[in-house]
Each structure stands twice: as C-alpha cells, then as structure tokens.
Amino acid sequence: MIPSILPTYNRAPLSFVKGEGSWLIEADGTRYLDLGAGIAVNALGHANPDLVAALTEQASRLWHVSNLYQIPEQQRLADLLVENTFADTAFFTNSGTEAAELAIKMARKYWYEKGAPREEILTFEGAFHGRSTGAIAAAGSEKMVKGYGALMPGFRQLPWADMAALKAAIGDRTCAVMVEPIQGEGGIRPLSDADMKTIRQLCDATGALLIFDEVQCGVARTGRLFAHEWSGVTPDIMMIAKGIGGGFPLGAVLATETAASGMTAGTHGSTYGGNPLACAVGAKVMEIVTDPGFLAEVNRKAALLRQKLEGLVAAHPGIFEGVRGQGLMLGLKCKVAPAEVVKAGYARHTLTVPAADETLRLLPPLTITEEEIAEAVTRLDAAAADLETAPAASSL
C-alpha cells in the first residue's frame, strides 16, 4: 500500500519539533547542529525572534486578500528589493521554481513584443532551476527529465563554465542565458568573475537577456546581498527565493524595466504570491541582511569557517579533497560518497546536505556563532574519523 505521503523523498530517520537559531531539536530533546538551514532557507536561523514578531504581528491583522487589491506589505518589500539591487520591478512567487517559470516567460515575451521572437535559452550542465516541467527542461539532466514525456522546448545545455562553448552557441536566435553564479545542487561550483563578465559581454553583443538564478546563493549567503555583486556584473532578470523568506515560502523575480516590458496586465499571476504574511517576513529579512554590519559579520564568520574546513581537509585526506564556494555557501569535495558523510554526521548530531560532483554542502544559518562554527568542525572531524575507522567506507 502506498504511504499517505507520496514517497518521492528519501528521508532521514529524523523528526524535529523545535528549532532555536542554528539548532534543531527532536521530541526527546536531542539537539542537532544544523549546517543545512533547510537548504539555505533558514538564513536567519530557526525561530528568529525578529521574524517571529513580524509574522505574528501581520497574522493578527491580515493573512490573504489576493492580488485583486493593493497589498501594502508587498509594495514595501518590492521597494526594498528595487532600492538595493539592479532591478526596477519585482513580481512575487511562492518558490524558486515559480520564479524560474516567470523568468522564462518574461525573457521570451520580451522578444515577442519586440517583433523578433527568440525562444532558445542557453543553460549549463549541472544546473538546478526547480522541479516544474519548464525548470527541468532548462536543466536538462537525464535524472530530472526521464519519464516525463514532452517537455517545454527551446533549451540548450552547455558544458559548465565553458566560455568557448557559449561563444559558439550564442547568437541572434538566443533569447537568454540562464545561469547560477554559484551552482548549489550542482556541487557548490562558482563561476569565476572573468566568466561572469564574459557571459555579460556576450549577451550584450547579441542582445540576449541575462538571467541569474540566485535562489540558493542570494540573500547575503555569499557575504554580499547577491552573489553576482562580487563580479560587478548585473543581470537583466534574476530569480530569488529560499533565504528571502527566512523560512516562510517566498520567491520573486527581479528585472530591469526593459526586460520586464512585455509583462503587462494579465500576462502572469499568482493567487498566493506576494501575500501579506510572506511579504511582512520578507521585508524584515531585507531590513536585517542589508545592514552593512550584518554582511561584514557574514564575511568574517565565513573566513573563519573556511579556515577551519581547510584544516579538516588536511586532517582527513582520505575523506575530503578540498573546500570550495563563497561566504557561508561552502562545499567539501569528498573522496567517499557524500551521503556517507551526511550519515556519519547524523551520528554526531550534525546536519549537512549532499550535492552533485561528490560534494557535501555546508549552508548554515547566516547567524551562526563563532562557538557554533568551532563545534561544527569538531563534529565533522569526529564524523570523518568515524568513517576512517569504519570497516566498509566506500570510495567513489
């Protein structure tokens, strides 16, 4: 008999009833140090008091009205995003997947309205843009598309960070280039600043729009408000989600006035997107993460964590190969299956997230303390030692 919950997840045998900052707690009181933060969602930690206050205050007044009416909380969040980014406008969604769908529609509608329709969108191997049929078509990996029949056409996948392949592929039929400045699911693989600049230059030369997917790497995760800021390159369209809601379901598409020019009344919509609850929380997140002092602390703690992880790699050369990523979006390249390291972490009451390319993701709350960073590396060290002494540690 099929379970009452569709069995599409391979869940760990853990169940949490409470969260406090960087910690998750089971019903029996067992505490786990959370280095995954709900896959970069709980950016300000669990049960953050500022977010709880924003949510409960809004919940006591108004939950939902739909986008048939003006929503002051939505306007406030849109203003904060426009004031602090390249964008002129924002549309709110409930998830990163929904943001991807709109980004695709927006780019194609832009060219349709120009009277010179272009449909082909160039993406990169290892990408993850969500689970809808459009988003999996964009990523194109066999694992995600097999068995689902005909998908949205018009996507072409290129080798990761292969600028020669991009130069050969991009042209007057290219609608847009869609890329993550740092791949998350793909294994914490950052594009270099030089590659980011090259992509922007090629888009400018051909008229193609540049879409950045910052669902995982955005909202202060790398020590800047958005990861693309490190390179000095700006997109035409950007997808965000995860950290912007601090744990409440919220996503958005940000765009320049030009890129969004085709999206007029009636061209897109969402029943729940931009509801008062989500936007009240998102506005509080933005107030916190745009504080220069907050970003400075993220960078300081990120440097400390990276230094300690380099020592961890050196101490366990049979388990780990290296550290990569930026800010508090870090990956440990593994010499054993990352799932084994995750499982060993469970035994040490530590939560991490596996990724592709034999990589273990570390995406702790941006509010993690120095003491918790030290404790995290101590626990990872113990987990690695456990694997080294296990009778059947399987190498890749």
Side-chain angles (χ1 to χ4, degrees):
M1 180 180 292
I2 191 169
S4 58
I5 296 176
L6 193 69
T8 58
Y9 297 110
N10 184 20
R11 300 176 192 265
L14 301 172
S15 179
F16 303 107
V17 299
K18 187 177 182 181
E20 296 175 349
S22 300
W23 299 86
L24 283 170
I25 305 162
E26 290 191 298
D28 65 0
T30 304
R31 295 170 64 86
Y32 285 75
L33 185 52
D34 185 7
L35 303 181
I39 315 182
V41 168
N42 297 96
L44 302 180
H46 298 283
N48 180 284
D50 291 325
L51 302 191
V52 171
L55 179 62
T56 53
E57 193 278 332
Q58 182 60 47
S60 70
R61 294 192 293 112
L62 184 65
W63 288 29
H64 177 77
V65 294
S66 88
N67 285 293
L68 293 173
Y69 313 105
Q70 302 293 324
I71 301 175
E73 296 78 19
Q74 186 181 123
Q75 186 64 60
R76 171 161 169 69
L77 179 53
D79 290 344
L80 284 168
L81 288 165
V82 167
E83 288 166 11
N84 287 281
T85 70
F86 71 95
D88 299 310
T89 190
F91 181 95
F92 294 103
T93 67
N94 304 291
S95 68
T97 293
E98 292 176 47
E101 291 291 324
L102 173 55
I104 293 163
K105 288 176 65 174
M106 183 181 286
R108 288 179 173 171
K109 192 67 156 54
Y110 166 79
W111 284 106
Y112 176 83
E113 293 296 332
K114 282 175 68 70
R118 297 188 188 186
E119 293 188 4
E120 187 175 70
I121 297 176
L122 303 178
T123 62
F124 290 89
E125 169 270 326
F128 183 86
H129 300 299
R131 296 281 187 180
S132 64
T133 54
I136 63 175
S141 72
E142 182 181 8
K143 179 181 178 181
M144 283 196 286
V145 305
K146 187 176 181 180
Y148 295 118
L151 300 174
M152 185 186 293
F155 296 98
R156 182 176 176 187
Q157 290 81 31
L158 304 175
W160 166 248
D162 188 333
M163 293 301 105
L166 179 61
K167 288 176 185 177
I170 196 168
D172 58 11
R173 295 172 52 196
T174 307
C175 168
V177 176
M178 185 158 72
V179 63
E180 301 155 277
I182 303 176
Q183 284 191 345
E185 299 286 336
I188 311 296
R189 299 196 293 183
L191 279 171
S192 68
D193 289 352
D195 285 348
M196 293 277 282
K197 289 181 171 66
T198 295
I199 295 171
R200 179 72 268 180
Q201 290 164 359
L202 290 171
C203 286
D204 290 342
T206 59
L209 298 177
L210 177 55
I211 304 171
F212 281 158
D213 180 341
E214 292 228 20
V215 169
Q216 191 164 146
C217 62
V219 194
R221 175 57 52 183
T222 66
R224 293 281 183 93
L225 184 56
F226 291 102
H228 69 263
E229 295 175 17
W230 290 102
S231 67
V233 168
T234 57
D236 302 295
I237 301 169
M238 182 169 70
M239 304 137 52
I240 67 172
K242 291 190 182 291
I244 188 61
F248 199 96
L250 176 63
V253 171
L254 309 182
T256 63
E257 182 178 6
T258 298
S261 59
M263 304 306 295
T264 54
T267 56
H268 197 65
S270 172
T271 298
Y272 293 108
N275 69 76
L277 284 173
C279 289
V281 177
K284 178 56 67 173
V285 170
M286 280 294 292
E287 287 176 12
I288 293 170
V289 301
T290 53
D291 186 306
F294 182 88
L295 293 172
E297 272 295 284
V298 170
N299 284 300
R300 185 183 68 81
K301 290 183 288 190
L304 176 64
L305 177 56
R306 188 171 196 127
Q307 180 185 44
K308 289 182 178 294
L309 290 175
E310 296 285 1
L312 181 71
V313 171
H316 301 281
I319 304 296
F320 303 118
E321 184 176 323
V323 183
R324 61 193 183 193
Q326 188 149 21
L328 288 173
M329 184 179 184
L330 296 174
L332 282 168
K333 184 70 180 292
C334 298
K335 293 183 179 179
V336 301
E340 290 191 11
V341 187
V342 172
K343 187 176 180 180
Y346 293 157
R348 294 290 178 172
H349 297 163
T350 305
L351 308 176
T352 56
V353 183
D357 198 30
E358 295 84 55
T359 302
L360 185 75
R361 275 181 284 180
L362 303 177
L363 306 162
L366 305 180
T367 51
I368 191 171
T369 66
E370 284 190 34
E371 293 76 17
E372 289 166 342
I373 287 172
E375 180 64 23
V377 177
T378 295
R379 294 185 183 203
L380 290 173
D381 179 71
D386 292 342
L387 287 173
E388 289 167 338
T389 58
S394 62
S395 296
L396 291 165

